[in-house]
Amino acid sequence: MTTLADQRIGRMEFLLNLRRRGITNAAVLRAMDEVPREHFVRAEDVDAAYSDQAMPIPCGQTISQPYVVAYMTERLAVEPTHRVLEIGTGSGYQAAVLSRIARAVTTVERYRTLADAAKIRFETLGYANITVVVGDGLEGVPEKAPFDRILVTAATETVPAALVDQLAQGGVMVLPLGAPDKVQSIVRLTRAPTELVREDFIPVRFVPLLPGRAQEL
């Protein structure tokens, strides 16, 4: 059984590891410190909640390793005035981190089971600036557009056109781009007046971004 002292030590090491690996943005580090990751993993994984690894969650999905969450959040360059769209709620951890920095977060999940569980976590933790939508992530949430920032937490081979349309001018989208069964790259797209400016970053592996809303879960 993990003691409170063990948890405190684990969280200190967690933050030190993020700094060692190059995460420097103070707002991102503060958000990672504020969000209790143990609330977003399965009960059997609570003791390892702050280890730097991805973990399984229901519906065949995963919660990304903390470094990747911090890295993608840092690349997104979120400001306190921003409205953020996240595609792929999962357990809600990434949305929770974003909510500690942004003005408002809308997160889309295709599995109702995951969406409902995430809503309960957000309510329990008092994260009132997150809206959870059950739907098709590839379609985004056009009625709430435009968004200053869009974060996609599942892999796609091509940039979803509907999400580009929902990105504000000068806005930024970060997503894992590449075939789902291969190594993908974290890509940042900035919407300029006449084009999307692309930057490629680290290799990653994410579950695929699937079309439609799940029928069973």
Side-chain angles (χ1 to χ4, degrees), residues 5-16:
D6 290 335
Q7 290 176 6
R8 284 195 294 270
I9 292 170
R11 291 189 69 162
M12 289 174 61
E13 291 177 346
F14 166 81
L15 291 169
L16 285 171

Side-chain angles (χ1 to χ4, degrees), residues 22-58:
I23 304 301
T24 60
N25 183 282
V28 173
L29 288 167
R30 184 169 58 250
M32 297 293 291
D33 186 33
E34 288 179 3
V35 176
R37 188 173 163 87
E38 65 271 19
H39 285 258
F40 296 88
V41 301
R42 301 177 305 174
E44 58 265 40
D45 294 326
V46 166
D47 286 351
Y50 291 96
S51 61
D52 196 28
Q53 61 184 14
M55 295 180 179
I57 59 173

